Amino acid sequence: MRLCDSVHVIDAAETLVASTGDLGLNEKSADRFQQQAETVVAARDAFMDVCREDLAYTARWWQVRRRIKERRFLREQASR
């Protein structure tokens, strides 16, 4: 996957693609498959976080309230 974006977004995308490619759908060991699936989910979450940060860099003054709610939501999600 090649994107025309900043380096950290491209890196996160490539990490996600690599971890998805390493997911063995025919894996016989449940523990190994669970570990691979958790790696994919972590890579996906990291990619989404990087994209959110990259897209939200031009917040206007009227978006301050939205940003506060967004940060509160992300903190709640991280604590789960």
Side-chain angles (χ1 to χ4, degrees):
M1 171 189 282
R2 294 304 305 170
L3 299 172
C4 296
D5 208 336
S6 57
V7 176
H8 59 282
V9 173
I10 292 171
D11 182 53
E14 289 176 350
T15 302
L16 175 59
V17 169
S19 64
T20 303
D22 292 342
L23 184 63
L25 297 178
N26 295 326
E27 181 67 45
K28 296 185 194 286
S29 170
D31 292 334
R32 175 93 173 116
F33 180 78
Q34 183 65 32
Q35 181 183 13
Q36 291 173 343
E38 288 172 0
T39 302
V40 170
V41 170
R44 182 208 57 201
D45 291 344
F47 175 69
M48 294 303 294
D49 289 342
V50 168
C51 288
R52 282 188 197 106
E53 289 175 14
D54 195 52
L55 292 173
Y57 74 95
T58 57
R60 304 285 186 233
W61 64 269
W62 60 83
Q63 294 175 326
V64 171
R65 192 170 186 195
R66 179 190 61 83
R67 298 281 298 214
I68 292 171
K69 288 181 181 180
E70 179 183 349
R71 286 188 188 129
R72 185 178 304 137
F73 174 77
L74 291 174
R75 277 196 307 268
E76 289 172 2
Q77 291 297 318
S79 66
R80 289 183 184 185

